Amino acid sequence: MKQWLFLLIVLAVLAAGCQEDLSSDAADELPYNLIHSEFSYTPFEIPEQWEVVSVSSEVEHQYQDWEEPENHQYAEVPFRYTINFGRKADENSVADSDLAEFNEQQELRGETTRQLYYHTYYEHFGVLHISRNGFVRMISNQGDAEEWELSGEKAMVLRDGNEWVMNIYINGVYYDLLVLGEAGLATEDEGRELLEEMFTAK
């Protein structure tokens, strides 16, 4: 029961067509192996010190039947993925069977979030949303946001101390990156280096 409550809290707080660009080895690794083959996106690089600790997706309703919730229907291909990065704990307190049961309950409740992977973690470095439907945190209307040029791509960046929100739009897909203080990103140069590494490295 504690595990379910913990998963719900995590989800509340956090509130693949271009696979050919990945090497065959990379395509089998987290998080790429959990992204649907028909979800078109441009592959990205994961910073060396970051580990994938959570992957979830959002799917659209196709049919709802509240008299018989087991008849709810959802789109097969998600419209958004959320990937959390951090430093994994030595042991994982959440089993695959826990995720399966959690997702089954989500379907019956008419909820659209599916938890695809979760590993207990010590530190939380960042959250990346990959979406077809716009930015989760759109910052272009924020007065303090800056526009950066990154190897031919444009990114909107908003900084508050050592925490950052970065919006970048590539080939019809919205990438919304939240970098938390635990990542230790302290300067503009480090912010640019991170974005270049993740989204424009060839």
Side-chain angles (χ1 to χ4, degrees):
M1 186 66 184
K2 290 182 179 179
Q3 291 176 342
W4 291 117
L5 180 60
F6 182 68
L7 273 175
L8 289 171
I9 291 173
V10 168
L11 291 171
V13 171
L14 297 175
C18 293
Q19 297 282 359
E20 66 271 9
D21 292 335
L22 291 170
S23 69
S24 58
D25 289 341
D28 293 332
E29 297 175 357
L30 281 170
Y32 316 110
N33 62 335
L34 295 178
I35 297 177
H36 196 285
S37 61
E38 294 181 21
F39 182 89
S40 180
Y41 74 106
T42 299
F44 55 93
E45 296 292 330
I46 299 173
E48 184 176 350
Q49 302 301 320
W50 293 17
E51 295 180 298
V52 175
V53 297
S54 172
V55 182
S56 63
S57 65
E58 292 287 338
V59 295
E60 293 179 334
H61 288 290
Q62 290 190 328
Y63 175 76
Q64 291 181 290
D65 184 346
W66 291 108
E67 292 185 359
E68 298 185 52
E70 62 274 12
N71 292 331
H72 288 331
Q73 295 179 15
Y74 302 88
E76 181 180 349
V77 181
F79 65 87
R80 182 169 66 237
Y81 286 90
T82 300
I83 303 165
N84 283 267
F85 303 98
R87 183 168 66 90
K88 291 181 179 179
D90 295 334
E91 296 184 4
N92 190 9
S93 61
V94 179
D96 289 344
S97 58
D98 296 327
L99 297 183
E101 186 176 348
F102 174 80
N103 289 330
E104 181 179 343
Q105 292 302 313
Q106 287 285 94
E107 292 183 15
L108 292 174
R109 288 194 294 263
E111 301 291 343
T112 58
T113 299
R114 303 291 178 265
Q115 193 71 33
L116 308 179
Y117 173 80
Y118 185 88
H119 196 291
T120 308
Y121 53 88
Y122 291 127
E123 295 175 286
H124 195 191
F125 298 146
V127 185
L128 175 64
H129 299 282
I130 309 173
S131 177
R132 293 176 171 177
N133 292 9
F135 296 113
V136 174
R137 293 171 290 266
M138 189 172 69
I139 59 174
S140 59
N141 58 349
Q142 299 293 318
D144 295 336
E146 299 179 3
E147 183 176 275
W148 290 359
E149 288 281 350
L150 303 164
S151 301
E153 304 291 348
K154 292 183 178 180
M156 295 300 299
V157 179
L158 182 64
R159 177 185 178 187
D160 182 7
N162 285 358
E163 298 197 344
W164 308 67
V165 177
M166 302 171 173
N167 291 168
I168 185 167
Y169 179 75
I170 305 175
N171 296 330
V173 180
Y174 300 85
Y175 298 83
D176 182 337
L177 178 64
L178 170 65
V179 182
L180 300 169
E182 288 181 275
L185 209 66
T187 68
E188 180 176 327
D189 286 344
E190 291 174 342
R192 288 181 178 275
E193 182 178 347
L194 179 73
L195 280 179
E196 291 277 4
E197 177 185 359
M198 291 188 71
F199 299 110
T200 65
K202 303 298 182 182

